[in-house]
Amino acid sequence: MKIKQAVIPVAGKGTRFLPATKEIPKEMIPIIDIPMIHYIVQEAIDSGIEQIVFVNSSHKESIENYFDRNYALEKFLEANNKHKELELIQKIGNLVEIVSVRQKEQLGLGHAILATDRLIGKNNFAVLLGDDLIKGAEPCTKQLMKVSETYGDRPVIGIMDVPKDDVSKYGIIDGTFMEGDKQTVLMKDMIEKPLPSKTPTTWATPGRYILSSDIFEYLKRIKRGAGDEYQLTDAINLMCKSGPVYAHFFTGRRYDTGNIFGYFEATLNFALADLRLKNYASDLIKKLAKDL
Ligand code: UTP
């Protein structure tokens, strides 16, 4: 089954990035000169997605505007012979079809996904969280789509191994490896932010999912969980008890850009990979390190 829609929830308050997020959506904060959300949307497009569904909240219109045309700016750039810049912003305005739905109260990720049920209908869909950047040879979402196809169009959750002390930052899964597939696990359980002393595994879910529309039924059934929020984890946990749900160790480097440490790490690494900044950044890092 070809997956055409990706849900990107961006309605969160971004409290770990205050004061910047007092007025700027977290997802619009740039890594060098490209907003984080652009990387996420690009991953979806590179995976074959044709429509992006944003779950948005008030005061975050700039995210939708960023992916729209800006005719006044285009006219200005044209009049000033800034053709390269013109081409760049026109391209962003034509990247992909965007629709959005409002989450009126921020009651958690599960609540945000449930807001998309009418737009998704009976289709399978991808979910990408707006503050997890994953860079690798093949887009993470594409990797999960392939696994879903291999295993009968069933849901697949992207996972990575984390240090035991970090499990309480994530949804953690438990399950058994599929025969002949050392990267894919048949899920038995999913628990939101367990204590390190109580965790079944160290297999964490950083924010990439392929889901079937059944998830909406489970999202309607769950009660408020960890952090007093409606957790997507709790709905997936119910789903994996009623039919096969898989978890897949994706390849690629993941940056948690929702916190300042992950954001800083991504900025450094992206600068070192940017042809314009590569030499400047490495010379600067060496110089600064010498003075430490
Ligand atoms: P986070 O847990 O990172 O929450 O949400 P947050 O509000 O964005 O950031 P902090 O923790 O306060 O700093 C993970 C993803 O789920 C979305 C967020 O926008 C983010 O992409 N989300 C979260 C919603 O869309 N709605 C919610 O009610 C909660």
Side-chain angles (χ1 to χ4, degrees):
M1 180 192 292
K2 178 164 165 41
I3 295 174
K4 296 183 181 163
Q5 291 169 297
V7 170
I8 307 184
V10 293
K13 294 198 188 315
T15 53
R16 285 170 294 166
F17 245 108
L18 281 167
T21 44
K22 183 164 174 264
E23 283 303 321
I24 307 166
K26 174 173 68 180
E27 298 77 7
M28 285 304 291
I29 295 176
I31 308 276
I32 322 279
D33 52 1
I34 298 179
M36 293 188 215
I37 191 68
H38 189 140
Y39 290 105
I40 309 288
V41 168
Q42 194 63 54
E43 179 189 322
I45 295 167
D46 293 344
S47 304
I49 291 295
E50 294 170 14
Q51 185 189 62
I52 302 286
V53 180
F54 282 130
V55 183
N56 216 335
S57 55
S58 55
H59 308 301
K60 285 195 148 187
E61 298 85 358
S62 58
I63 298 177
E64 282 153 53
N65 291 344
Y66 177 79
F67 292 102
D68 200 351
R69 299 282 295 269
N70 180 338
Y71 290 103
L73 180 58
E74 287 181 21
K75 246 176 143 176
F76 171 84
L77 294 172
E78 199 169 8
N80 288 279
N81 290 323
K82 292 187 178 284
H83 301 297
K84 230 172 83 193
E85 291 83 352
L86 175 65
E87 202 186 314
L88 178 70
I89 69 149
Q90 276 178 337
K91 211 168 143 197
I92 297 168
N94 290 319
L95 265 182
V96 66
E97 184 191 353
I98 304 267
V99 294
S100 73
V101 60
R102 282 280 174 108
Q103 185 191 21
K104 294 198 174 111
E105 242 187 309
Q106 279 59 67
L107 298 179
L109 180 59
H111 184 256
I113 303 296
L114 185 54
T116 67
D117 64 344
R118 291 215 186 118
L119 284 168
I120 299 294
K122 289 278 165 223
N123 304 313
N124 282 7
F125 62 106
V127 175
L128 295 85
L129 296 195
D131 49 12
D132 280 296
L133 297 192
I134 300 171
K135 282 266 177 206
E138 188 177 31
C140 179
T141 298
K142 178 104 201 155
Q143 296 175 42
L144 303 186
M145 285 173 171
K146 283 188 183 166
V147 178
S148 176
E149 248 182 73
T150 304
Y151 293 106
D153 292 326
R154 293 298 302 168
V156 180
I157 322 295
I159 52 170
M160 61 183 195
D161 206 15
V162 297
K164 201 166 182 183
D165 283 345
D166 286 352
V167 291
S168 47
K169 296 183 194 156
Y170 299 94
I172 298 292
I173 72 118
D174 193 9
T176 45
F177 278 100
M178 297 298 290
E179 220 175 289
D181 183 347
K182 289 198 176 90
Q183 273 178 273
T184 307
V185 168
L186 176 64
M187 282 176 58
K188 197 170 83 190
D189 265 313
M190 186 166 176
I191 312 151
E192 185 66 18
K193 301 187 171 73
L195 289 172
S197 56
K198 298 224 166 112
T199 192
T201 70
T202 48
W203 301 340
T205 53
R208 293 294 185 275
Y209 312 80
I210 301 298
L211 297 174
S212 62
S213 58
D214 299 349
I215 195 70
F216 298 120
E217 285 314 310
Y218 297 107
L219 285 168
K220 283 176 198 159
R221 276 192 225 163
I222 55 167
K223 303 213 159 53
R224 288 187 186 213
D228 203 26
E229 293 187 335
Y230 292 98
Q231 297 288 353
L232 177 60
T233 294
D234 294 341
I236 294 174
N237 190 37
L238 287 179
M239 188 160 68
C240 76
K241 306 239 153 64
S242 346
V245 175
Y246 300 92
H248 181 75
F249 284 95
F250 59 83
T251 55
R253 185 162 181 176
R254 177 257 184 178
Y255 302 95
D256 177 8
T257 48
N259 75 73
I260 56 168
F261 298 98
Y263 174 77
F264 181 63
E265 188 189 335
T267 305
L268 273 185
N269 274 293
F270 281 41
L272 290 169
D274 185 323
L275 291 179
R276 299 165 304 169
L277 289 170
K278 205 175 149 112
N279 293 338
Y280 176 77
S282 68
D283 288 350
L284 184 65
I285 291 166
K286 282 180 210 147
K287 189 167 159 265
L288 291 173
K290 237 191 243 163
D291 297 342
L292 284 179

